[in-house]
Amino acid sequence: MSLRIVVTVKYVPDATGDRHFADDLTVDRDDVDGLLSELDEYAVEQALQIAEDADDAEVTVLTVGPEDAKDALRKALSMGADKAIHVEDDDLHGTDAIGTSLVLAKAIEKAGYDLVISGMASTDGTMGVVPALLAERLGVPQVTLLSEVSVEDGTVKGRRDGDAASEQLEASLPAVVSVTDQSGEARYPSFKGIMAAKKKPVESWDLSDLDIEAEEVGLDGAYTTVDGAAERPARTAGTIVKDEGEGGKQLAEFLASQKFI
Amino acid sequence: MAEVLVYVDHVDGAVRKPTLELLTLARRIGEPVAVALGNGAADTAATLAEHGATRVLTHDAAEYADYLVVPKVDALQAAHEAVSPAAVLVPSSAEGKEIAARLALRIGSGIITDAIDLEAGDEGPVATQSVFAASFTTKSRVSKGTPVITVKPNSAAVEAAPAAGAVEALSVTFSDKATGTKVTGRTARESTGRPELTEAAIVVSGGRGVGGAENFALIEALADSLGAAVGASRAAVDAGWYPHTNQVGQTGKSVSPQLYIASGISGAIQHRAGMQTSKTIVAVNKDPEAPIFELVDYGVVGDLFDVVPQLTEEIKSRKG
Ligand SMILES: Cc1cc2nc3c(=O)[nH]c(=O)nc-3n(C[C@H](O)[C@H](O)[C@H](O)COP(=O)(O)OP(=O)(O)OC[C@H]3O[C@@H](n4cnc5c(N)ncnc54)[C@H](O)[C@@H]3O)c2cc1C
């Protein structure tokens, strides 16, 4: 039977642009350019490699997000994924990590899966908890933050480089995996890939397709409340000197004046 | 007074500094009750008591080392049931966040990650977070269930606050999911003798401008003269000059030391995301237009191969 891989991807505001909050303190996604989160490209890449090594595999990319999030799906399809699912619903606006994991988990179950692959974190929210939440919800092993991953005979193996140690992990499928940016450079879509992506199927689901009530998600369903957001005051301009041969000594003098020496 | 659960990060009984910082924050909300798991759990009690833990719940089993994350979630959930705390605080390590998230889901609670400050509020603890590569600060709280909050290292001072620290055995029954992900091998990271990157008071980092693995000796010498940890930009890590564990930034470590010294680092947004909350920032870069200079308290425009060794010598001679 074919290996069914679902890759979760997120459409995020461009980090090099001017990111800010909307009036309701959600991330403003209307006024800024978006793209497929770079960290999810690594997940797509590993999914494609695992699929290429398997006899028979199918890679589905899944996103939850507004209309523009289709761009993220297109990018993944042009890299080589087979099909895409877009969960979109006005009631999703303001959904937090707990709610997002609910929607993703229901969609993954509906799609059918043997392996879920996520990026290590999104580049906007940066919480890095969705893969663990998915494993908890789906009731399958969590094999996360891998810098190296392989699948063979229904078993996923990988290396997790932690603070104190580097660990070799192993679990039976079905499982949820997340990969880091150390897992291997993501491929660029080829011209052929971009053309082919246009013909690949993109399914659209809403909350009712997933039997989720509006109250369970969105700002009202959120388990956390943001009471305020303030732009960090610009750092006051520091002293900048040009090295004329004494730069190191001048710097030492500054450090001494700040009691660091 | 309400109790606050504090998840203890320790290595064979040696408590890591971020946990002591959590005790400081926990005391603002209630009485800290520590949960220590795995090998050496009971040995943590004396240090935890010194810093305010009224009780220390401990449990040791092979599962904590042999399987990923879930056994610890099971234990923390047992502690949550036994204590009914006002909040659960967990250090914001990669594993800490995963444990916290799964716990939150199980107990029907919201989760806040990477708080940099915490205070008591009328509707529960209020967490300060730094977002969008630290260009914004937000105040949030958990509005459903027992707040589960992970806190970044260096978010509070370690304070002595002697308390009873009574050791109690925590009773834990592992769920059938606990053994899902097996740890089949573990290679401990070699100790460099330098402070832990995320916990260090001073971090000295090098980037592409360092120009090669062997030149990192200059960065290390400066770090050692200050008793600092060594960091690196992703460009330096990707080039293979320094290990990924030392990477500072969005996909590396997030640091918030008293002093951050960047040499040969341009200051890309993803690097800033990991160091922008440092108290004092210093940079050495030969390009006067480098964006890192927008952040600095003191910057030297110059060649790091001249400035860094001179700085190291000067520090050594001043320290005598
Ligand atoms: C999804 C994603 C995640 C990322 N995560 C991270 C991350 O976690 N951490 C990170 O650091 N980056 C990260 N990056 C990469 C980031 O965008 C930059 O590419 C990287 O930070 C650049 O490193 P650098 O400053 O060392 O190199 P460069 O940008 O090349 O800068 C080198 C600097 O050194 C100076 N220099 C050169 N020679 C000398 C000399 N002799 N003396 C003094 N100065 C000299 C130059 O003037 C220049 O400013 C990420 C990127 C993406 C897309």
Side-chain angles (χ1 to χ4, degrees), chain A residues 96-120:
Chain A
D96 64 5
I98 299 267
T100 301
S101 70
L102 172 70
V103 180
L104 286 172
K106 293 258 189 175
I108 290 165
E109 273 168 340
K110 185 174 158 90
Y113 73 102
D114 300 297
L115 180 62
V116 177
I117 307 187
S118 305
M120 62 187 285

Side-chain angles (χ1 to χ4, degrees), chain B residues 208 233-234 247-251 264 266 270-271 285 303-304:
Chain B
R208 199 194 306 270
S233 73
R234 173 154 141 185
Q247 182 176 314
V248 172
Q250 191 190 340
T251 51
S266 62
Q270 295 91 353
H271 187 79
N285 195 304
D303 193 321
L304 72 90

Side-chain angles (χ1 to χ4, degrees), chain A:
Chain A
M1 209 187 98
S2 111
L3 179 70
R4 296 162 303 168
I5 307 175
V6 178
V7 187
T8 62
V9 300
K10 188 173 182 186
Y11 179 77
V12 297
D14 187 348
T16 54
D18 189 12
R19 293 180 291 183
H20 47 264
F21 288 94
D23 292 340
D24 63 357
L25 297 179
T26 59
V27 176
D28 189 338
R29 298 179 192 280
D30 294 336
D31 282 352
V32 267
D33 287 336
L35 74 178
L36 167 62
S37 172
E38 283 133 323
L39 295 174
D40 293 338
E41 290 184 19
Y42 296 97
V44 175
E45 177 62 37
Q46 290 310 311
L48 295 174
Q49 289 189 19
I50 290 168
E52 284 157 9
D53 290 344
D55 291 341
D56 179 18
E58 183 179 59
V59 177
T60 304
V61 282
L62 164 67
T63 196
V64 177
E67 175 63 23
D68 288 348
K70 282 208 169 62
D71 289 357
L73 294 176
R74 283 286 164 220
K75 170 91 186 265
L77 289 172
S78 62
M79 287 172 71
D82 300 303
K83 59 190 182 80
I85 298 168
H86 182 197
V87 182
E88 187 191 5
D89 200 307
D90 289 344
D91 290 326
L92 283 167
H93 176 79
T95 305
D96 64 5
I98 299 267
T100 301
S101 70
L102 172 70
V103 180
L104 286 172
K106 293 258 189 175
I108 290 165
E109 273 168 340
K110 185 174 158 90
Y113 73 102
D114 300 297
L115 180 62
V116 177
I117 307 187
S118 305
M120 62 187 285
S122 66
T123 57
D124 57 347
T126 70
M127 290 176 76
V129 295
V130 165
L133 289 171
L134 286 179
E136 179 70 35
R137 287 200 186 269
L138 296 168
V140 302
Q142 154 188 349
V143 199
T144 47
L145 296 172
L146 302 183
S147 326
E148 226 176 68
V149 59
S150 64
V151 173
E152 219 172 305
D153 301 330
T155 301
V156 53
K157 292 184 185 175
R159 192 185 80 236
R160 172 172 163 123
D161 294 325
D163 279 353
S166 176
E167 294 167 328
Q168 297 292 337
L169 304 180
E170 197 177 302
S172 306
L173 298 184
V176 173
V177 160
S178 78
V179 296
T180 72
D181 61 334
Q182 300 294 301
S183 59
E185 201 74 39
R187 67 192 69 187
Y188 287 103
S190 64
F191 178 70
K192 222 175 113 208
I194 293 168
M195 296 315 286
K198 297 194 167 137
K199 298 200 192 74
K200 289 178 179 171
V202 179
E203 273 189 66
S204 283
W205 293 347
D206 62 14
L207 289 178
S208 64
D209 291 318
L210 300 175
D211 292 324
I212 296 173
E213 301 295 329
E215 305 83 68
E216 295 178 76
V217 294
L219 264 184
D220 294 338
Y223 284 70
T224 45
T225 309
V226 180
D227 291 329
E231 198 153 359
R232 199 182 162 82
R235 294 187 80 105
T236 43
T239 310
I240 302 202
V241 299
K242 194 172 173 334
D243 178 34
E244 310 273 8
E246 298 281 298
K249 288 188 180 153
Q250 286 167 288
L251 189 42
E253 184 54 42
F254 169 77
L255 295 181
S257 74
Q258 303 292 309
K259 309 269 185 282
F260 288 116
I261 309 179

Side-chain angles (χ1 to χ4, degrees), chain B residues 16 24 30 89 96 104 114-115 120 160 170 175 180-181 184 207 240 243 249 254 260 270 279 301-302 313:
Chain B
R16 295 179 63 179
T24 299
L89 306 186
D114 296 321
L170 178 68
S175 64
T181 307
T184 55
S254 166
Y260 188 85
Q270 295 91 353
K279 307 290 175 299
V301 180
E313 280 319 306

